[in-house]
């Protein structure tokens, strides 16, 4: 058994992809597993695979839907529960979401303004990618 695979804490544990799905941070377990494989999930600061064990007290960071969620596991769940019970399973330390006005202002055009020109489309794409680490495709 590798050094990093050895359990570090005591108590029950569950797979990180399963736990993220159980507490309703993602819509499906396959989306949670895909986020882990893509490197969007970190447990205690380390990128993890979907089968990584999560225990009470671990900090889980999830980048999902353009927003980072930072939660501390307070209860280990192995089955999906309702929203009120799911909220009790973690402590949410996430930064607040951006104001709705800022989100809507980026991609809005006036009604009746017609189809956007090529210049308008490039400007909208530049605004959409402004805060992300991705670069637009060359071409």
């Amino acid at each position: 058994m590798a050094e990093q695979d050895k359990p570090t804490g005591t108590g029950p544990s569950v797979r990180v992809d399963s736990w993220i799905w159980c507490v309703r941070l993602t819509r499906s377990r396959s989306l949670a597993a895909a986020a882990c494989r893509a490197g969007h999930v970190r447990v205690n600061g380390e990128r993890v695979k979907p089968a990584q064990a999560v225990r009470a007290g671990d900090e889980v960071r999830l980048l999902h839907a353009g927003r980072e969620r930072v939660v501390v596991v307070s209860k280990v769940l192995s089955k999906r529960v309702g929203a009120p019970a799911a909220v009790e399973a973690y402590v949410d330390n996430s930064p607040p979401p951006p104001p709705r006005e800022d989100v809507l202002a980026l991609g809005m055009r006036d009604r009746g303004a017609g189809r956007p020109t090529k210049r308008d489309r490039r400007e909208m794409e530049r605004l959409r990618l402004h805060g992300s680490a991705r670069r637009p495709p060359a071409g």
Side-chain angles (χ1 to χ4, degrees):
M1 187 178 242
E3 185 66 31
Q4 66 188 24
D5 294 336
K6 291 183 182 176
T8 56
T10 60
S13 66
V14 68
R15 290 173 56 115
V16 67
D17 62 340
S18 178
W19 186 83
I20 289 171
W21 170 70
C22 289
V23 297
R24 299 178 171 265
L25 294 178
T26 59
R27 290 185 181 183
S28 69
R29 184 168 167 204
S30 61
L31 284 175
C36 291
R37 284 191 297 273
H40 299 302
V41 178
R42 294 180 180 268
V43 176
N44 298 326
E46 308 251 340
R47 287 175 58 171
V48 296
K49 294 181 180 179
Q52 174 74 35
V54 173
R55 292 178 171 74
D58 287 346
E59 180 190 65
V60 177
R61 290 178 174 265
L62 169 69
L63 183 63
H64 180 67
R67 181 172 174 223
E68 184 180 32
R69 300 289 306 266
V70 180
V71 297
V72 177
V73 180
S74 60
K75 191 186 303 181
V76 176
L77 300 174
S78 58
K79 292 190 177 185
R80 192 165 169 101
V81 293
V87 172
E88 295 173 0
Y90 60 86
V91 178
D92 196 354
N93 296 332
S94 303
R100 192 153 195 236
E101 300 84 37
D102 293 347
V103 174
L104 293 176
L106 288 177
M108 296 299 291
R109 289 179 43 86
D110 295 330
R111 281 189 74 91
R115 185 168 183 220
T117 64
K118 188 172 188 175
R119 184 178 190 180
D120 292 338
R121 289 193 306 271
R122 286 181 177 163
E123 182 68 18
M124 286 187 289
E125 183 68 19
R126 187 185 66 77
L127 287 173
R128 251 183 258 138
L129 296 176
H130 179 67
S132 69
R134 303 191 289 154
R135 297 192 55 130

